[in-house]
Amino acid sequence: MFPKGRVLRQEEVEAVRQLIGPGPYERALLIEYLHKIQDAEHCLPAGHLHGLAELMRIPMAEVYEVATFYAHFDVVNDGEPRPPAVTVRVCDSLSCMLAGAEELLKALQQEQLPNVRVVRAPCMGSCDMAPAVEVGHRHVDRATLERVLAVVESGNTHPNVPAYQDLEAYRAEGGYKVLEACLSGERIVEDVIATLSDGGLRGLGGAGFPTGRKWSLVRAEPGPRFMAVNGDEGEPGTFKDRYYLERRPHQFLEGMLIGAWAVEASEVFIYMRDEYPAVLEILRREVPKLEAAGLSRHTKVHIRRGAGAYICGEESAMIESIEGKRGLPRHRPPYVAQVGIFGRPTLVNNVETLYWVPQILAKGAEWFASQGKNGAKGFRSYSVSGRVKNPGVVLAPAGSTVRDLIELCGGMAEGHTFKGYLPGGASGGILPASMADLPLDFGQLENHGCFVGSHAVVILSDKDDMKAVALNLMKFFREESCGQCTPCRNGTEKAVKLMSEPHWDKELLEDLAQVMADASICGLGQAAPNPLRSVLKYFPEDFR
């Protein structure tokens, strides 16, 4: 008699123990353990997965299904060759495509670099520095063949951490005084929430839900309560959270700790995308300083590292990932404010939302509310990329127009004429230049089949084929679908096939788009048809 399946070897168990440390091993930390193995081995060998399952006392199938869900994990079965030690990821999302990523990808593949593999990758959040490439954990912005080869040759694949404002510098300018006033009882929760509400602060990750109201709803739920920070800024064209975290991380951290105080969250989980290695390094340096300074004495702060899954930007999928599972969106209700992390009421806020909290409380609701225009309140951080002279994060009044943003970016790129724009990243649809004076804020674009979402604005020109633009975006959704529901899983695949044809079957595509929008479980599948529908509606000249 022989045992069925793979036979575990004790040396595999010991090898994993050496990598992840001594127990006890928490089920919720499965993804963190997988990262430790991947970082050390440059892959996830089957033997190590088997050893990890043994140490955690969970089924091998459970480990395998999580490991294979995330794009940044490379599972290697017995007898298969391991991937090269260095992986070069070339972003092929829209802004990078416009900047020549496809040509760069082909050039790198032709180099046939020894012990290096070159792969496509979705948006890395460096759209302002397109085309973007990652060599190991090191970003190469405005990448060229020569610059990428230089990084590969140097062997330095560690994160390139920029100069940023650390705890000492932030406190020197008065940072954390608002938090200390909250913790000392000088400020009361009801007044803090009222100030945020009166100021008009909304969720700036995409949904735009009023922040004060969300804090009140979570606070009303029975404890214990948790808090999660959604740092999975994966919407193509979006990079504002990275911009702030790489410059002023403590303004965000203070806002986060105020939020935890307001809802009495006993634990806070910062979920940060793996595509931001520099940000993760900054957080690993600065978060322990908060505990040492006594600033986080009212809560316990955890850092959770994503593993390459756009779907985890959806709050319930993010919570599943925080719990060490596949990032599959949950059916709602119940909402995460009622049943979130480990079944407890959970406050979920975006990075930029929390970034504004200390300043609003310090300067007052009227200060923030008065910054908007066209009926909107507050500031907005617009991620602007594509065919403009100076792409980047543009801090402007809420309700600004794309015409305003193009002007603030120095105008259109040389030789390009404004043709259209994405007002809210890949899922927000596409509008023509004739609609350049619409306010870019929540509730303003829905009648046109679009939305502002995370305020990621990609500018397109007369040099761009809108059919190719829509196809690029649909390929992104096809690759990032979690596969849980048929309308999204099969719908995006079918749409890519139909859109790859020289002549589009418009009627069939419209029917497919309607099914995806109506029947998908979460926002990914529901919004995936938006660029397709926009191109069919607003750019008929590209079909001649």
Side-chain angles (χ1 to χ4, degrees):
M1 295 290 292
F2 295 96
K4 291 183 179 180
R6 191 182 186 282
V7 178
L8 176 66
R9 297 193 295 271
Q10 188 57 35
E11 56 266 31
E12 294 169 340
V13 178
E14 293 306 317
V16 174
R17 197 194 310 272
Q18 289 296 317
L19 291 175
I20 69 173
Y25 303 107
E26 297 180 38
R27 173 61 185 81
L29 295 178
L30 173 57
I31 294 172
E32 298 298 313
Y33 300 145
L34 291 172
H35 272 303
K36 289 185 177 182
I37 298 171
Q38 175 83 30
D39 289 345
E41 301 291 326
H42 308 296
C43 65
L44 298 176
H48 284 64
L49 295 182
H50 203 166
L52 180 60
E54 177 69 14
L55 288 173
M56 297 184 70
R57 294 292 190 265
I58 61 177
M60 172 64 172
E62 199 169 322
V63 175
Y64 186 84
E65 72 175 9
V66 172
T68 54
F69 181 85
Y70 296 93
H72 289 188
F73 292 141
D74 297 297
V75 175
V76 176
N77 294 317
D78 293 326
E80 292 181 350
R82 292 194 177 195
V86 176
T87 296
V88 175
R89 302 180 191 274
V90 181
C91 180
D92 67 353
S93 290
L94 181 58
S95 296
C96 288
M97 181 192 82
L98 299 178
E102 191 66 32
E103 294 76 11
L104 178 59
L105 177 68
K106 292 177 181 177
L108 285 167
Q109 290 172 333
Q110 289 172 359
E111 286 291 320
Q112 297 183 335
L113 301 169
N115 208 28
V116 174
R117 64 171 176 169
V118 180
V119 299
R120 294 177 180 273
C123 187
M124 298 176 182
S126 294
C127 317
D128 54 332
M129 304 287 281
V133 173
E134 190 177 73
V135 182
H137 294 297
R138 191 172 191 84
H139 276 301
V140 184
D141 296 323
R142 294 197 176 114
T144 62
L145 178 62
E146 293 73 24
R147 293 185 67 189
V148 176
L149 292 178
V151 174
V152 172
E153 186 177 351
S154 73
N156 182 4
T157 61
H158 299 293
N160 40 333
V161 179
Y164 66 91
Q165 186 184 51
D166 63 9
L167 175 60
E168 184 178 355
Y170 183 65
R171 297 196 80 172
E173 68 172 32
Y176 287 107
K177 285 187 177 178
V178 175
L179 173 65
E180 289 173 332
C182 292
L183 296 179
S184 68
E186 184 180 337
R187 289 178 180 262
I188 62 173
V189 174
E190 290 76 15
D191 289 347
V192 165
I193 291 177
T195 300
L196 297 181
S197 298
D198 293 343
L201 182 63
R202 304 178 69 166
L204 299 174
F209 195 86
T211 302
R213 184 181 172 198
K214 178 182 282 191
W215 287 19
S216 294
L217 289 173
V218 175
R219 183 175 169 81
E221 294 292 326
R225 293 178 284 273
F226 293 143
M227 179 178 182
V229 176
N230 192 339
D232 199 66
E233 185 182 45
E235 183 72 23
T238 314
F239 47 90
K240 59 187 177 64
D241 292 350
R242 172 186 61 79
Y243 177 87
Y244 288 125
L245 289 169
E246 289 184 348
R247 288 161 177 80
R248 294 177 58 84
H250 282 282
Q251 185 170 323
F252 148 70
L253 289 169
E254 182 176 11
M256 176 192 77
L257 292 174
I258 292 170
W261 163 81
V263 302
E264 299 176 355
S266 58
E267 298 183 56
V268 179
F269 296 82
I270 305 175
Y271 188 87
M272 188 56 55
R273 66 187 312 224
D274 198 31
E275 290 85 350
Y276 287 175
V279 171
L280 282 161
E281 180 59 29
I282 290 170
L283 292 175
R284 292 189 190 106
R285 294 177 186 179
E286 299 302 314
V287 167
K289 295 180 183 179
L290 299 178
E291 185 175 357
L295 294 168
S296 61
R297 59 185 181 273
H298 58 298
T299 190
K300 175 70 174 175
V301 181
H302 308 272
I303 300 171
R304 289 288 187 269
R305 177 180 169 189
Y310 166 73
I311 190 63
C312 290
E314 196 276 336
E315 62 179 7
S316 67
M318 175 191 67
I319 286 174
E320 289 288 297
S321 192
I322 287 172
E323 294 178 355
K325 305 171 187 174
R326 293 175 294 167
L328 300 179
R330 297 176 179 177
H331 291 272
R332 292 174 289 183
Y335 296 94
V336 299
Q338 303 162 309
V339 181
I341 300 173
F342 308 128
R344 302 309 310 164
T346 301
L347 171 65
V348 177
N349 278 138
N350 160 263
V351 169
E352 193 200 351
T353 305
L354 297 171
Y355 180 85
W356 289 113
V357 167
Q359 286 202 17
I360 295 172
L361 296 178
K363 297 181 180 181
E366 185 178 350
W367 165 78
F368 190 72
S370 65
Q371 304 302 323
K373 59 190 294 188
N374 294 318
K377 292 183 178 181
F379 287 113
R380 292 291 183 270
S381 302
Y382 296 94
S383 305
V384 186
S385 61
R387 307 299 194 179
V388 289
K389 284 184 181 177
N390 304 306
V393 172
V394 176
L395 182 61
S400 295
T401 68
V402 74
R403 199 181 302 280
D404 297 330
L405 300 182
I406 291 173
E407 183 179 346
L408 290 169
C409 289
M412 293 293 294
E414 196 68 33
H416 291 266
T417 301
F418 182 37
K419 179 179 180 178
Y421 64 104
L422 280 68
S427 58
I430 308 173
L431 291 170
S434 60
M435 295 184 176
D437 295 313
L438 294 173
L440 297 179
D441 201 45
F442 302 110
Q444 299 295 320
L445 307 179
E446 282 74 4
N447 289 338
H448 304 286
C450 297
F451 55 81
V452 75
S454 60
H455 296 78
V457 181
V458 183
I459 307 299
L460 304 169
S461 79
D462 58 331
K463 302 290 193 297
D464 300 319
D465 177 2
M466 292 302 179
K467 290 173 67 178
V469 168
L471 177 58
N472 175 278
L473 300 174
M474 189 60 75
K475 285 181 176 178
F476 169 80
F477 289 121
R478 178 193 63 184
E479 295 303 315
E480 294 298 326
S481 172
C482 75
Q484 182 178 190
C485 69
T486 302
C488 178
R489 180 185 65 245
N490 290 8
T492 53
E493 183 177 0
K494 182 66 173 178
V496 167
K497 184 177 180 180
L498 292 172
M499 294 166 69
S500 299
E501 295 292 330
H503 301 287
W504 287 11
D505 186 333
K506 298 180 185 179
E507 185 177 351
L508 181 56
L509 283 168
E510 283 282 11
D511 287 345
L512 180 60
Q514 191 66 49
V515 171
M516 292 169 64
D518 288 345
S520 295
I521 289 175
C522 80
L524 191 156
Q526 294 164 11
N530 287 345
L532 163 63
R533 286 173 151 175
S534 298
V535 167
L536 291 173
K537 182 177 181 180
Y538 294 119
F539 300 94
E541 66 275 11
D542 282 56
F543 292 89
R544 292 171 186 166

